[in-house]
Amino acid sequence: QVQLQESGPGLVKPSGTLSLTCAVSGGSISSNNWWSWVRQTPGKGLEWIGEIYHSGSTNHNPSLKSRVTILLDKSNNQFFLTLSSVTAADTAVYFCARTQTTSWNVGYFDNWGPGTLVIVSS
Amino acid sequence: DIQMTQSPSSLSASVGDRVTITCRASQNIYSFLNWYQQKPGKAPKVLIYAASSLQSGVPSRFTGSGSGTDFTLTISGLQPEDFATYYCQQCSSIPFTFGPGTKVDI
C-alpha cells in the first residue's frame, strides 16, 4: 500500500514562499501515476493545485499557475510544492495525493497524505 | 473551469436510511466523475470513480450513477461510520475541480 506524508513549515510570512515535501513510501514515484497537490480551506473547499509525472511533466491550476512550482526527486522518492508570494488566502491544509488512471483515462486520487496545515501570518 | 455543484449542502439521516446526494457539472463531463468521503481531520477517501465504479475495499452500499452533467451518490442502509462529508470531483479537464460538499449527519 502506497503511503504519502507531507512535511514543511506550518507558518509562512505574507509575501514569502511556501515549500512542502511529499515523501512516498511503499511504491515508486516513477510508477505510471501522476502525483498531485490539493489544498482545503473552509472558504473555498477542496482545490486542486497541480500535478507532476515522473518524466517531469506538470499541469497546474491556472488560478495559481504563476506562483506554483512542482518538482520531484526520483532518487529520494519524493515530490515538492512551492507557492510564492503567499497571502492569508493561501492558509489551508495541504494534501499530496497519487492519481490512479483507468484504462479509459479516468483519473482519481486513490492515495492521500494525512495533510499539513500551513498558516500564512506575520 | 468546470463548476461543480452539490445538493443538498447538508442532510440529517438515521442509521439504516437510504441517502442520495446529487452532483451537477457546468458542462458535459461524460463519466469523468469521482466521489470522495471525508471525515473531520482526515484526508478524503475515494469511494466511486468513473461515475459508477466502486473503489476496491469500499462497501457495496455505496453506488454511483449518472453521466453528462448529472450524477448521484446513493448510500443504501446508512451505517454509523458513514456520517461524513461527501465530495464529487470532475477529472474531465484541467483544472480538476471539486463540489462544495454534502455533510451527512444525524
Side-chain angles (χ1 to χ4, degrees), chain B residues 12 15 19 21 26 39 44 47 56 60 66 69 76 85-86 92 94 96 104 106:
Chain B
S12 294
V15 172
V19 168
I21 298 168
S26 61
K39 296 181 179 178
L47 302 174
S56 176
S60 58
T69 60
S76 302
T85 301
Y86 294 85
S92 172
I94 286 171
F96 307 132
V104 177
I106 299 174

Side-chain angles (χ1 to χ4, degrees), chain A residues 40 48 59 105 107-109 112-113, chain B residues 32 34 36 38 43-44 87 91:
Chain A
Q40 186 170 31
W48 177 78
N59 294 303
N105 217 31
Y108 57 97
F109 305 120
W112 297 67
Chain B
F32 290 87
N34 307 314
Y36 299 85
Q38 187 180 32
Y87 297 92
C91 55

Side-chain angles (χ1 to χ4, degrees), chain A residues 36 38 40 44-48 51 59-63 95 99 102 104-115, chain B residues 1 31-34 36 38 41-46 48-51 53 55 87 89 91 94-100:
Chain A
S36 278
V38 176
Q40 186 170 31
K44 291 190 71 176
L46 288 161
E47 180 179 29
W48 177 78
E51 63 182 359
N59 294 303
H60 299 88
N61 191 324
S63 69
F95 297 98
T99 302
T102 69
W104 57 100
N105 217 31
V106 173
Y108 57 97
F109 305 120
D110 69 336
N111 280 278
W112 297 67
Chain B
D1 298 5
S31 294
F32 290 87
L33 190 283
N34 307 314
Y36 299 85
Q38 187 180 32
K42 302 293 188 181
K45 169 189 169 185
V46 64
I48 301 287
Y49 63 91
S53 295
Q55 171 69 347
Y87 297 92
Q89 176 243 331
C91 55
I94 286 171
F96 307 132
T97 48
F98 293 83

Side-chain angles (χ1 to χ4, degrees), chain B residues 7-29:
Chain B
S7 61
S9 57
S10 64
L11 65 91
S12 294
S14 301
V15 172
D17 283 354
R18 177 186 174 96
V19 168
T20 298
I21 298 168
T22 297
C23 175
R24 177 165 288 176
S26 61
Q27 63 189 72
N28 186 355
I29 59 170

Side-chain angles (χ1 to χ4, degrees), chain A residues 56-68:
Chain A
S57 295
T58 58
N59 294 303
H60 299 88
N61 191 324
S63 69
L64 299 168
K65 182 173 181 177
S66 62
R67 299 194 291 132
V68 169

Side-chain angles (χ1 to χ4, degrees), chain A residues 33-100:
Chain A
N33 298 101
W34 288 81
W35 303 90
S36 278
W37 289 97
V38 176
R39 69 182 183 179
Q40 186 170 31
T41 62
K44 291 190 71 176
L46 288 161
E47 180 179 29
W48 177 78
I49 299 169
E51 63 182 359
I52 189 165
Y53 195 65
H54 62 76
S55 63
S57 295
T58 58
N59 294 303
H60 299 88
N61 191 324
S63 69
L64 299 168
K65 182 173 181 177
S66 62
R67 299 194 291 132
V68 169
T69 302
I70 300 175
L71 299 172
L72 59 77
D73 176 359
K74 286 189 276 189
S75 61
N76 288 300
N77 223 37
Q78 55 190 13
F79 63 108
F80 312 98
L81 169 70
T82 61
L83 180 66
S84 61
S85 304
V86 296
T87 69
D90 295 309
T91 294
V93 175
Y94 286 78
F95 297 98
C96 56
R98 185 182 79 166
T99 302
Q100 187 68 263

